Amino acid sequence: MLAAGLSVIFGLMDVLNLAHGSFYMLGAYVGLTVLGVSGNFWLALIAAPVALGVIGALIEVVFFRRIYREGHLMQVLLTFGFTLVFVDLIRWRFGPQTHSLPTPPGLEGAVHILGVSFASYKLFVILFASVVALGLLLAWRRSRVGAILRAGVADREMLGLLGIDLKRVFTGTFAFGAALAGLAGVVVGPYLGVYPGMDESILVLVLVVVVVGGLGSIEGAILGSLLIGLANAIGPLVLGGFEAASIFAVMAIVLLVRPQGLLGRRQ
Amino acid sequence: MSRLRQLRPRRWLGQAAFLVFLLSVPAWAPNRFWINVASQALIFAIFAMSLDLLIGYAGMPSFGHAAFYAAGAYGGALWALHLSSALLPLLAVGLMAGASLALVGALALRARGIYFLMLTLAFAQVVWSVLSNNQLANVLGGDIGLISVPRPVLPFAADVSLFRPANFYFLTLTVAIIVYLALAAVVASPFGHTLEGIRENEGRMESLGYPTFRYRLAAFIIAGALAGLAGMLGGSFNFSATPATAFWTTSGLAMIAVIMGGSRSLVGPAAGAIVVVLLQLGLSSLPARGLAERWQLLLGVVFIAFVLFLPGGLYGLLRRRAA
């Protein structure tokens, strides 16, 4: 989910957003706050992506629009500046400790399937993520907006010439990517916890997923997530506690065989 | 051309003045604290200059340079803790550690541009996670790192203690000057020009018969080795090697230093590094309580403002003024 957001932002806008992890963290904290006030998990689940969408749009309009011409490095540094600001703001407002989002009512227990018990919340997450992924895939392939985005990835200038308002598309994409990240932040809150630094722990995973899957492709992002998730789960069994190494190994193999990522276009 | 000639003497004058300024730091620094700050700034300057070879000259934007710094810090620390703390072997260990890790990280050379940036970032984070892995704590110290690392001992003058801030400062200054001269020679050499050619148009260089991959690999290893050297100095300066040195914020700060100073100038990144260290220190010791704790936030704001308003870097600004 997170990777899809980053991948689309990058693919379409040619912007590498290091603050993407921050959006994910901010999403979790928005969820935490809304949950604290209203006590309703589902409300938090809606509020976080909305809030992040707004934040994303603001950042795009106020900051990014000014530096598209300056090239990648400047954009990366800008987003790097943002990560520093966001993580410190969060630490300031909420403190350095780990908060836990309570598991939403009705999903606390465990479910027994074929004699194996699963925490119901994890099942919910799996289900929810699958639905979102499927929805994204459908929207990406079938809807008008999806068509515009795909066209944008393929040839940005042409899209502009066809009379599509690129500025609006860019802002929308950025906001949408941020909203996806925010949504992911809330969803993982109940079992990974909410803490300053969660932005950094996820960022590298997401980068690897995107590189493995191929940039600018939703399908690639989903495939990459599955692969890296699998490596993350199996790696420790094989290599004993070095999940990072197993992830790197997967990345190394993919890159040696296909430098542009599994489903990426030629660079 | 004539303008260049006119600028030359002024440039030499400036460099000489800067050298005198650097040499005299311990003389006028109010106390040991500031001498230590100066050492730190110089170590970071070495690190930033090595990154400039990649970013500025070879056109390889590495966001994982901290990994090689950490390799030097850990290599130096292990060597000093278990074998000997003689200076010259230690310097060699720092170089070797950075260079060998660069060989591993050379995987990233498969990619170019922004993809290269993402790969180096991911690679460095993997290095960080290995360093902070507590299963290796008996070798690498886990998330605490290696502590009570001794300072190096000078050859021929073992009684000149590097525990004294001023002495250590002169060591870092000497190394920094040597690194600067070496890098300046590298970028002025045919090798350096080839790198610039590859930056501008790799395909064409390849058609001309240059084995571009080997050139990029060599640049990556040289930069890694020099970063390792900086890391080794940093490790003995702090008496420790910690996983945090490999964290991506370290790479980010170095990159900021390079861009803020003005890439492709060596002097610019070095100056940028000094500014970053001073900024970090200045912001974290602001008199107003509360503000000082938020130095990271303020640093981020400074970076953002800088990217928005001065994308050419400080050196670029100077150059524009001079032109």
Side-chain angles (χ1 to χ4, degrees):
Chain A
M1 202 147 56
L2 205 59
L6 187 68
S7 188
V8 175
I9 288 185
F10 183 89
L12 177 69
M13 300 168 59
D14 219 20
V15 169
L16 175 59
N17 183 13
L18 288 183
H20 209 63
S22 304
F23 290 156
Y24 161 83
M25 176 183 67
L26 287 177
Y29 275 94
V30 169
L32 187 73
T33 312
V34 172
L35 199 63
V37 174
S38 70
N40 188 333
F41 181 81
W42 309 109
L43 201 62
L45 199 59
I46 298 167
V50 171
L52 264 294
V54 173
I55 294 176
L58 273 179
I59 288 182
E60 200 276 337
V61 171
V62 177
F63 295 99
F64 274 92
R65 202 163 271 185
R66 308 176 56 145
I67 61 152
Y68 284 126
R69 283 164 201 285
E70 303 287 350
H72 283 139
L73 266 183
M74 284 319 206
Q75 297 159 6
V76 168
L77 289 184
L78 183 67
T79 55
F80 177 66
F82 274 115
T83 61
L84 290 181
V85 169
F86 283 140
V87 82
D88 217 26
L89 274 178
I90 289 290
R91 211 176 283 141
W92 191 1
R93 175 72 187 77
F94 295 92
Q97 69 276 28
T98 302
H99 297 271
S100 62
L101 279 178
T103 310
L107 294 172
E108 291 102 340
V111 178
H112 299 276
I113 300 171
L114 301 173
V116 188
S117 65
F118 298 93
S120 352
Y121 187 72
K122 284 199 179 174
L123 275 185
F124 163 73
V125 171
I126 293 170
L127 210 67
F128 185 76
S130 314
V131 169
V132 171
L134 210 67
L136 274 178
L137 209 56
L138 276 178
W140 180 249
R141 288 255 174 92
R142 294 287 155 83
S143 77
R144 188 179 145 72
V145 178
I148 293 177
L149 289 184
R150 273 180 296 146
V153 171
D155 190 335
R156 214 183 331 168
E157 271 148 42
M158 195 47 151
L159 188 65
L161 290 175
L162 286 172
I164 306 261
D165 185 355
L166 275 184
K167 278 188 174 172
R168 256 178 53 206
V169 175
F170 276 26
T171 310
T173 314
F174 204 82
F176 178 67
L180 270 184
L183 187 64
V186 182
V187 171
V188 303
Y191 75 102
L192 286 184
V194 178
Y195 54 96
M198 62 188 285
D199 53 338
E200 285 148 352
S201 55
I202 197 77
L203 181 67
V204 169
L205 271 185
V206 175
L207 283 183
V208 172
V209 162
V210 170
V211 169
V212 165
L215 281 156
S217 142
I218 292 257
E219 297 93 331
I222 294 170
L223 186 65
S225 311
L226 289 177
L227 205 62
I228 293 299
L230 213 61
N232 212 359
I234 297 175
L237 301 179
V238 183
L239 296 160
F242 289 97
E243 49 288 24
S246 60
I247 291 168
F248 192 66
V250 170
M251 187 170 79
I253 294 166
V254 169
L255 281 173
L256 286 175
V257 183
R258 269 183 81 84
Q260 72 271 41
L262 290 175
L263 298 178
R265 298 165 299 147
R266 282 235 143 264
Q267 289 170 29
Chain B
M1 202 58 192
S2 63
R3 177 173 287 158
L4 261 178
R5 287 235 174 92
Q6 278 170 4
L7 277 175
R8 276 266 162 80
R10 249 173 63 196
R11 207 171 149 194
W12 275 109
L13 216 64
Q15 286 181 346
F18 192 54
L19 187 63
V20 170
F21 166 78
L22 285 176
L23 278 170
S24 66
V25 165
W28 50 259
N31 51 39
R32 302 163 49 160
F33 172 77
W34 286 100
I35 302 179
N36 279 334
V37 170
S39 301
Q40 226 170 327
L42 282 182
I43 292 170
F44 202 54
I46 299 174
F47 185 45
M49 283 191 289
S50 73
L51 184 59
D52 192 26
L53 177 69
L54 291 181
I55 295 183
Y57 293 92
M60 297 154 64
S62 165
F63 209 116
H65 215 47
F68 312 115
Y69 181 91
Y74 273 83
L78 285 172
W79 186 276
L81 282 171
H82 300 299
L83 290 162
S84 101
S85 52
L87 176 67
L88 294 179
L90 263 180
L91 292 175
V93 167
L95 286 167
M96 288 303 297
S100 355
L101 190 66
L103 263 181
V104 182
L107 178 75
L109 295 173
R110 290 282 289 179
R112 298 193 170 60
I114 204 79
Y115 301 80
F116 176 76
L117 189 149
M118 292 167 70
L119 279 183
T120 46
L121 172 56
F123 172 72
Q125 285 301 96
V126 170
V127 170
W128 170 77
S129 70
V130 169
L131 289 180
S132 48
N133 191 316
N134 279 325
Q135 292 189 356
L136 294 173
N138 50 353
V139 188
L140 298 174
D143 45 22
I144 299 167
L146 298 168
I147 50 170
S148 31
V149 177
R151 287 255 165 110
V153 178
L154 285 175
F156 315 120
D159 51 333
V160 179
S161 167
L162 288 177
F163 284 89
R164 285 197 49 200
N167 292 347
F168 194 83
Y169 173 78
F170 283 121
L171 171 67
T172 55
L173 182 58
T174 312
V175 176
I177 291 172
I178 293 173
V179 167
Y180 169 72
L181 292 175
L183 277 174
V186 166
V187 298
S189 71
F191 172 76
H193 290 299
T194 310
L195 282 184
E196 297 208 53
I198 293 173
R199 181 192 68 221
E200 292 303 325
N201 192 335
E202 185 169 354
R204 186 170 294 169
M205 292 306 276
E206 199 137 24
S207 313
L208 286 172
Y210 286 98
T212 55
F213 179 81
R214 268 188 242 166
Y215 276 90
R216 292 168 68 237
L217 179 63
F220 197 60
I221 290 176
I222 294 174
L226 293 177
L229 185 66
M232 178 261 134
L233 285 174
S236 51
F237 172 78
N238 289 317
F239 306 108
S240 63
T242 57
T245 50
F247 204 57
W248 71 302
T249 41
T250 313
S251 305
L253 286 180
M255 197 175 235
I256 294 265
V258 170
I259 306 292
M260 186 142 97
S263 64
R264 213 186 320 163
S265 64
L266 294 181
V267 190
I274 295 171
V275 171
V276 166
V277 168
L278 289 179
L279 257 180
Q280 226 175 334
L281 189 88
L283 292 177
S284 61
S285 59
L286 277 179
R289 233 186 72 79
L291 265 189
E293 284 168 36
R294 300 274 75 86
W295 67 269
Q296 216 184 356
L297 193 163
L298 296 172
L299 198 63
V301 172
V302 171
F303 291 164
I304 292 171
F306 163 78
V307 170
L308 289 180
F309 300 117
L310 200 63
L314 296 174
Y315 195 77
L317 193 72
L318 282 180
R319 233 183 306 203
R320 226 179 304 152
R321 283 270 162 79

